[in-house]
Amino acid sequence: MESNVLGLIPARGGSKGIPGKNIRELAGMPLIAHSIQAARDATAIDSVVVSTDDEEIAEVADSHGARVPFIRPSKLATDEAPTAPVITHTLETLHDVGEEYDAFMLLQPTSPLRTVTHIEEAYSLYEDSNADSVISVYPTCDTRWERTPQGAKQLNYTDAAKRRQDRDPEYVINGAIYVTNVDQFLQTEETITGTTKLYEMAERESVDIDTPFDLWLAEQILMGWESYD
């Protein structure tokens, strides 16, 4: 049986790092529009919904073809609000008007370099592997450290003495794509749940917009800055 898949783009207002971040222009269109366009073009997704507390974001999202069937409650749009209750609110609100989904794809609007191809491939991995969830990642061989009262402590790599190119890669979640089975999510309230598979993206495709520099970097990549490689 063919699954019914929700593409969910959570986009609250009130960004502090970049005021109006989700609707700031990037390569000729609002930041959120990049995610909406990729989601609408993806055959894996049946409906693209934006969850926002902000009327201006809602208008921009609607004008670029996303559905905005509700305004998110302010209690789910604070700096401290986790993502899981936002997803639950969306699923329950849509359920109340007769919409049921087997899986959802959470697509953060701050990942504008995620393409329709990435979405399709990640969903194919979810389906073909019978996973409960899929998360997008990028590989790294960098050694990570933390500060402790006793001094610096290495966080990963038992083989840190090896040359960087000889180490086995680890993976960093880039936040671009989460594919999750709805039943599993409702049981656990976790986007990463049950049997989870990793969908690998390149580091340059994994830019997450949080600072003005991130916005500048994404613009250079989208506009074809070949020297970035």
Side-chain angles (χ1 to χ4, degrees), residues 126 129-134 179 184 192-197:
Y126 168 80
S129 65
N130 292 315
D132 298 304
S133 59
V134 167
V179 190
Q184 280 281 343
I192 305 173
T193 183
T195 301
T196 301
K197 297 292 184 178

Side-chain angles (χ1 to χ4, degrees), residues 180-199:
T180 306
N181 176 277
V182 167
D183 288 339
Q184 280 281 343
F185 173 79
L186 292 176
Q187 291 174 27
T188 64
E189 295 192 336
E190 298 284 349
T191 52
I192 305 173
T193 183
T195 301
T196 301
K197 297 292 184 178
L198 303 181
Y199 172 68

Side-chain angles (χ1 to χ4, degrees), residues 1-212:
M1 181 182 295
E2 188 171 327
S3 295
N4 200 21
V5 180
L6 172 68
L8 175 58
I9 302 174
R12 71 180 184 88
S15 172
K16 293 179 180 176
I18 306 176
K21 175 174 64 177
N22 285 315
I23 54 176
R24 281 285 292 273
E25 183 174 318
L26 173 64
M29 60 183 185
L31 175 61
I32 193 172
H34 293 270
S35 293
I36 293 171
Q37 180 175 301
R40 291 189 69 218
D41 289 345
T43 59
I45 293 176
D46 297 288
S47 181
V48 181
V49 168
V50 168
S51 169
T52 185
D53 62 310
D54 187 281
E55 294 284 356
E56 190 173 3
I57 293 175
E59 290 178 10
V60 170
D62 179 74
S63 70
H64 284 85
R67 297 172 57 211
V68 191
F70 55 82
I71 294 296
R72 190 195 308 178
S74 57
K75 66 181 181 181
L76 297 179
T78 65
D79 288 343
E80 297 78 24
T83 302
V86 173
I87 300 169
T88 300
H89 172 261
T90 300
L91 293 172
E92 290 179 347
T93 302
L94 295 176
H95 171 79
D96 289 345
V97 295
E99 294 186 32
E100 300 283 352
Y101 294 92
D102 302 297
F104 64 83
M105 299 190 74
L106 184 70
L107 306 170
Q108 303 282 8
T110 51
S111 299
L113 304 180
R114 172 232 306 109
T115 66
V116 61
T117 299
H118 295 134
I119 292 172
E120 299 283 20
E121 290 179 349
Y123 186 72
S124 292
L125 174 61
Y126 168 80
E127 276 213 317
D128 295 345
S129 65
N130 292 315
D132 298 304
S133 59
V134 167
I135 52 175
S136 59
V137 298
Y138 67 88
T140 180
C141 290
D142 293 334
T143 304
R144 294 169 182 253
W145 298 79
E146 68 175 345
R147 293 187 179 94
T148 73
Q150 293 74 37
K153 177 184 176 183
Q154 197 170 67
L155 290 178
N156 60 349
Y157 289 118
T158 55
D159 57 349
K162 292 182 180 179
R163 297 180 305 165
R164 185 177 186 277
Q165 60 267 35
D166 294 333
R167 299 172 186 161
D168 292 331
E170 292 188 355
Y171 295 91
V172 179
I173 296 175
N174 65 10
I177 302 172
Y178 296 81
V179 190
T180 306
N181 176 277
V182 167
D183 288 339
Q184 280 281 343
F185 173 79
L186 292 176
Q187 291 174 27
T188 64
E189 295 192 336
E190 298 284 349
T191 52
I192 305 173
T193 183
T195 301
T196 301
K197 297 292 184 178
L198 303 181
Y199 172 68
E200 186 175 331
M201 294 171 60
E203 187 171 1
R204 70 174 286 167
E205 299 165 339
S206 301
V207 176
D208 179 45
I209 308 299
D210 189 49
T211 67

